[in-house]
Each structure stands twice: as C-alpha cells, then as structure tokens.
Amino acid sequence: RVTAQTIEFWQGRENRLHDRLRDGLSRRCTALLAGPGYGKTSLAARFLREWEGDSVWLSLDALDGDPWLLFRYLTRGLREHAPEFGSRTEEVWQDLRSRPEEVDRLCDLFISDAEESLGAPFLLVLDGVQHLEASPASTRALRRLLAYLPGTLHLILIGRSLPEAGLKMLAAEGAVDVLSGEDLLFTREETQALLRDTFALPVSQETAGKIHARTRGWPTALQLL
C-alpha cells in the first residue's frame, strides 16, 4: 500500500531513478535486480503511476511455472486495454493448452497478437521473476519473448535474480537496462536530504555522512531509522 509518508520517503531517490527508467524505455527491457528491502516493487509502482501509457502487472510466485498460464495471464491483462487482443488466435491457444511443451509457438502467438492488436506502447511488468528459475519451459519462453519483443511492448522484470534468459548478451547489445542493488541505494546527498527535509532532523553534514556510511544508503535501514 502506498501512503503519503511512503511517497515522501522515496521521492528524493526516485527523481534520479525515474529518469533512468524513462531513458530505458527506448530498449526492449528494464531489469530491477536486488535483494529484499531495496524498494524494487515500490519504485516500479511509482513509475507506472506517473507514466501516461497503459501497463499490465503480473506478480509471480513459486507456482507460476507453466508458460501457458504465464501467457494467458498476460493476455487477460492486455485485453483490459485492447479487447480484441488474442481473439484471432483463440482456438490455437486452446489447442496448445494440452501441449505446453510447444513453448516457442506459444510465445510466437503472443508476439504476433501484440503486433496485430496493439497500437500504443504498453509496459509489461513481471514481479518476482526469480520464481521462473525452477521452470526451464518458462525460462525458454522469457528468452524468446526478449529476443523478439515487438516495439509496442516494453518488459520490466523485477526480482532478486533472473533466470538465464540471454540477458547478459542482450545487455551487452544495449537491449536491456539492468538496475542492480547498487543503483537502488540512496546516494550520500539523497541520504542527507532525507534526514534534513523528510525527517526534519537538524543533523550536520558530518553526522549525515556517518549515517550514510553506516547504512550504506540501504533503503530499509534508513526507513527503520
């Protein structure tokens, strides 16, 4: 749940990171990768609230290892904005339900429908993408989706880690922007502004520097403070 205090807490850091996310929209994918307590999900949620386009958010868990279900969830989300999405290939989708091993065809149908039905840019968010690591089929689907993602879609992957989906190669090619835990930390200046402006603490620059060094700018530590 996003409260006014939460928004105020993250505001200074998010001004910097939202610029980074906006710049990354020119690529195929943005990946937010860090451990717990770095504010990955809240950062993406705040960015979507300010973004003027449409988005679909899918929260994954350990049971989301079936690529057919993965694409069906995404299809249902897109249909809320584009009702005709997937209608052309609905019968094929139903036929493939009993043959989830045809991962490439599932992915190709989704990509084809996106190219046919979507005019405006969409953001697809997969939160908890580390849960796909246990499913070779879903990992394969993600790899193919990233390789052939149409220009109307931008993928945002949020998680503690990523399955091997060719991201390193795509990042080297400039197709993926990866924000790691180091990028999500508060800078020294952001920590000082947080203490003085948000928390209204009359701390000296030296004290703010010591607090930043002690917490390393980790969001959860600063929020506990």
Side-chain angles (χ1 to χ4, degrees):
R1 183 179 179 182
V2 179
T3 65
Q5 289 178 328
T6 304
I7 293 172
E8 188 178 9
F9 176 83
W10 299 112
Q11 191 64 56
R13 184 199 66 155
E14 288 189 354
N15 289 336
R16 166 175 59 90
L17 294 177
H18 281 196
D19 288 341
R20 175 78 177 269
L21 292 174
R22 277 190 291 270
D23 291 342
L25 293 179
S26 60
R27 308 184 187 190
R28 295 184 208 170
C29 173
T30 299
L32 303 175
L33 303 179
Y38 281 82
K40 307 179 295 295
T41 298
S42 62
L43 171 64
R46 286 279 297 148
F47 180 71
L48 292 187
R49 288 183 64 184
E50 296 183 2
W51 193 60
E52 296 180 353
D54 293 316
S55 62
V56 173
W57 186 296
L58 179 59
S59 295
L60 303 170
D61 59 34
L63 300 178
D64 291 318
D66 185 339
W68 188 90
L69 288 177
L70 176 65
F71 281 115
R72 291 306 288 172
Y73 289 147
L74 291 175
T75 297
R76 289 175 183 174
L78 286 169
R79 278 182 174 172
E80 293 183 6
H81 306 279
E84 73 282 4
F85 186 89
S87 59
R88 184 173 55 88
T89 56
E90 183 67 31
E91 291 185 4
V92 183
W93 273 102
Q94 295 299 328
D95 181 57
L96 290 176
R97 183 173 188 174
S98 61
R99 293 181 288 150
E101 69 278 1
E102 294 197 32
V103 176
D104 290 349
R105 193 173 182 202
L106 280 171
C107 193
D108 291 346
L109 279 174
F110 181 84
I111 292 171
S112 175
D113 285 336
E115 292 175 337
E116 180 77 18
S117 305
L118 302 181
F122 276 80
L123 297 186
L124 293 184
V125 182
L126 298 182
D127 189 10
V129 72
Q130 74 274 1
H131 292 300
L132 299 182
E133 290 179 334
S135 171
S138 290
T139 299
R140 181 176 174 180
L142 179 61
R143 184 186 304 118
R144 191 169 184 87
L145 182 61
L146 284 170
Y148 299 102
L149 197 71
T152 53
L153 295 176
H154 181 83
L155 197 60
I156 297 181
L157 305 177
I158 307 172
R160 300 181 183 182
S161 60
L162 278 178
E164 177 48 51
L167 279 175
K168 291 183 179 179
M169 180 179 67
L170 289 171
E173 296 173 351
V176 179
D177 188 18
V178 179
L179 281 74
S180 66
E182 290 297 318
D183 297 308
L184 301 179
L185 296 174
F186 279 73
T187 66
R188 183 187 179 102
E189 293 75 18
E190 289 164 355
T191 298
Q192 184 172 325
L194 178 73
L195 296 170
R196 290 182 175 180
D197 302 334
T198 302
F199 295 162
L201 297 174
V203 297
S204 65
Q205 187 171 349
E206 180 182 2
T207 300
K210 289 180 179 179
I211 292 175
H212 178 75
R214 184 68 178 270
T215 62
R216 293 185 62 250
W218 186 42
T220 293
L222 290 169
Q223 198 162 27
L224 288 173
L225 173 69

